[in-house]
Amino acid sequence: MLHLSGARFPDRDHQYGSYPQPPMGAGHLSVEYDPRPSAVREARAEVRRQLEGWGLADLDDVADVAELLVSELATNALLHSASRFRLTLFAAHGILRCEVRDAGRRVPTVLDAGASESGRGMFLVDALARRWGCQQDTTGKTVWFELGTCGSDDCCRRQS
């Protein structure tokens, strides 16, 4: 791990009060990792720790799914860019957003799971995330996904 940063969420808005939220002052998490295999394990552990700290680890399978999908994105960053990568988590208003940024230019694609031994990462992201996407710029790309944290898809759709 190289760098941690954080920011504060604004005061809760009464219209979102019924959605589980991170505690006041929790903010977001952003951690940068060196390009080594242990970074994937460290990123998974950081996701679990942060979601536990925000009180979101006990909601359905949010923490398990977030760990799995972050693991897939971090592995892709190591395999396809061989650069440092940055994991960023945001949680607000019933949504957990996880981002992995790396210096690679290769845009992820969803492959048929089939019988191959690799290539299933984005298939899992596509199957398990509420939404996902990729943004490119001149220095690399950010692949992100979102999960609902309010216990039902209906509450997440109301705020979209």
Side-chain angles (χ1 to χ4, degrees):
M1 254 184 291
L2 296 175
H3 183 264
L4 295 173
S5 67
R8 297 178 67 87
F9 279 110
D11 291 334
R12 290 185 188 188
D13 185 319
H14 71 283
Q15 88 183 75
Y16 299 112
S18 63
Y19 303 131
Q21 300 295 308
M24 290 309 299
H28 72 278
L29 173 77
S30 186
V31 183
E32 190 169 271
Y33 296 92
D34 284 324
R36 51 185 165 51
S38 63
V40 174
R41 177 179 34 82
E42 293 167 11
R44 268 195 318 265
E46 193 62 48
V47 167
R48 175 66 65 171
R49 265 192 305 275
Q50 191 62 46
L51 295 183
E52 286 173 354
W54 284 342
L56 300 175
D58 296 329
L59 298 173
D60 296 327
D61 297 324
V62 170
D64 294 335
V65 173
E67 279 184 274
L68 172 65
L69 300 186
V70 162
S71 179
E72 295 297 338
L73 297 187
T75 298
N76 284 351
L78 290 178
L79 289 176
H80 302 297
S81 77
S83 68
R84 289 180 173 173
F85 70 90
R86 177 171 294 281
L87 167 67
T88 304
L89 305 177
F90 303 93
H93 310 301
I95 299 293
L96 170 67
R97 182 177 174 110
C98 302
E99 301 177 350
V100 174
R101 175 164 185 71
D102 64 48
R105 300 293 303 152
R106 185 174 174 190
V107 175
T109 58
V110 178
L111 302 176
D112 182 13
S116 68
E117 294 197 17
S118 65
R120 292 189 177 110
M122 294 313 296
F123 178 84
L124 290 172
V125 172
D126 190 56
L128 298 174
R130 183 175 169 263
R131 297 185 328 151
W132 73 273
C134 178
Q135 288 121 6
Q136 290 182 295
D137 60 29
T138 58
T139 62
K141 70 180 177 307
T142 301
V143 183
W144 58 270
F145 67 85
E146 293 178 349
L147 301 173
T149 63
C150 56
S152 79
D153 289 336
D154 287 342
C155 80
C156 297
R157 271 191 231 116
R158 283 195 298 263
Q159 53 197 313
S160 299

